Amino acid sequence: MRYAEILFPQKVGTLTYSVPENLNPQAGYLVKLALRKKSTQGLILEIHNRKPDFKTSPIEELLLSAPILPSSQIRLLQWLSKTYFCPLSQCLKLFIPKRIFQNKPIKTRKKKIEQINRTPSKELTASQDKIFAEIKDSSKNNFLIQGVTGSGKTEIYTRLAEHYIKQDKQVLILVPEISLTPQIIEYFERGLGLPASAVHSKIAEGERNDSWQHIHSFHQLVTAPVN
């Protein structure tokens, strides 16, 4: 018998459910199940074989044919919760629109697509080029670039973003203040010639849904099997 750790958008923590033999879910799947005698939806965080000391209810149904969150985003979700002492259920709201858990369709808004005119790449200084090469060629995954305002740190970040996008990877930029978001987005969009998606607490629900769809559809594209 397999078991699943389920995360809910409600403040109930993570609960263990059994996985029926006829279902083959993975971490990141959205599922239908019973919670407090009511049918609801939850997200699978983990699949395992550890039998709990209590009786478990079964997962009733897989709601989508593919994971709604990839493993990389699940790890990020767990890291955010642990690092910032924030409940997993609260962090989950940053990753998935609430309409998904309300079993409501995400409506695609008609949005005028503006052409992004890429600015010519700036020539890196010797110091910037050394830092860029050290980061992209290193096996480490944590770096701190120290420099005063205007010293060219953001240009290094742009080059690193371009490097990983060319490898069909996503790039997540964390901005310290919401007020800085517009200028940061413009810098990266013009520097890369690609549209960026913004997610923060001040955007409207429709815009948040659009950003989620953009990110989710890109992940499905780069992970689709090649025939």
Side-chain angles (χ1 to χ4, degrees):
M1 174 67 71
R2 293 184 302 158
Y3 300 90
E5 299 301 321
I6 306 294
L7 175 61
F8 299 90
Q10 303 94 323
K11 297 180 180 179
V12 296
T14 303
L15 301 179
T16 304
Y17 284 75
S18 59
V19 179
E21 295 294 335
N22 63 318
L23 298 181
N24 187 31
Q26 303 173 22
Y29 268 77
L30 191 67
V31 294
K32 179 181 178 182
L33 28 68
L35 176 65
R36 295 169 180 166
K37 298 182 180 181
K38 293 183 179 180
S39 180
T40 188
Q41 300 181 32
L43 179 80
I44 297 179
L45 282 185
E46 179 190 1
I47 299 288
H48 59 81
N49 297 316
R50 304 185 301 272
K51 184 178 181 180
D53 297 330
F54 48 84
K55 184 179 179 181
T56 57
S57 298
I59 292 175
E60 297 176 357
E61 182 183 352
L62 304 184
L63 295 176
L64 297 172
S65 59
I68 199 170
L69 280 186
S71 57
S72 59
Q73 292 187 10
I74 291 178
R75 291 194 299 270
L76 177 59
L77 171 72
Q78 294 169 325
W79 178 86
L80 283 171
S81 176
K82 181 179 179 180
T83 302
Y84 296 103
F85 301 100
C86 182
L88 282 169
S89 59
Q90 190 71 21
C91 294
L92 184 62
K93 297 176 182 179
L94 302 175
F95 290 76
I96 301 176
K98 63 181 181 180
R99 293 183 68 90
I100 294 292
F101 286 102
Q102 294 171 345
N103 200 23
K104 297 179 180 178
I106 297 292
K107 298 180 180 180
T108 303
R109 301 184 306 166
K110 292 184 179 180
K111 184 178 180 181
K112 183 179 179 180
I113 301 176
E114 298 181 0
Q115 183 178 358
I116 299 174
N117 296 318
R118 183 172 183 176
T119 56
S121 298
K122 298 178 182 179
E123 185 176 351
L124 297 182
T125 65
S127 177
Q128 287 175 316
D129 191 58
K130 179 181 178 181
I131 294 171
F132 169 70
E134 181 181 348
I135 293 176
K136 74 179 183 67
D137 296 334
S138 176
S139 59
K140 299 179 182 179
N141 57 11
N142 292 290
F143 291 89
L144 174 63
I145 302 176
Q146 185 175 359
V148 298
T149 302
S151 60
K153 299 186 297 296
T154 306
E155 186 61 30
I156 298 174
Y157 301 147
T158 306
R159 292 296 181 89
L160 289 168
E162 182 179 32
H163 171 72
Y164 290 108
I165 287 173
K166 286 181 177 178
Q167 299 179 31
D168 287 334
K169 296 181 178 180
Q170 293 190 50
V171 176
L172 176 64
I173 307 295
L174 301 181
V175 183
E177 294 288 342
I178 291 179
S179 60
L180 298 176
T181 305
Q183 68 186 65
I184 292 293
I185 285 181
E186 182 179 8
Y187 191 98
F188 277 91
E189 286 187 334
R190 291 188 177 275
L192 299 172
L194 296 171
S197 297
V199 178
H200 56 73
S201 60
K202 298 300 181 182
I203 63 175
E205 182 181 354
E207 187 177 352
R208 182 186 296 274
N209 293 342
D210 289 346
S211 294
W212 180 82
Q213 279 193 316
H214 181 211
I215 296 169
H216 185 60
S217 61
F218 177 85
H219 170 76
Q220 288 183 316
L221 175 64
V222 300
T223 58
V226 178
N227 295 324

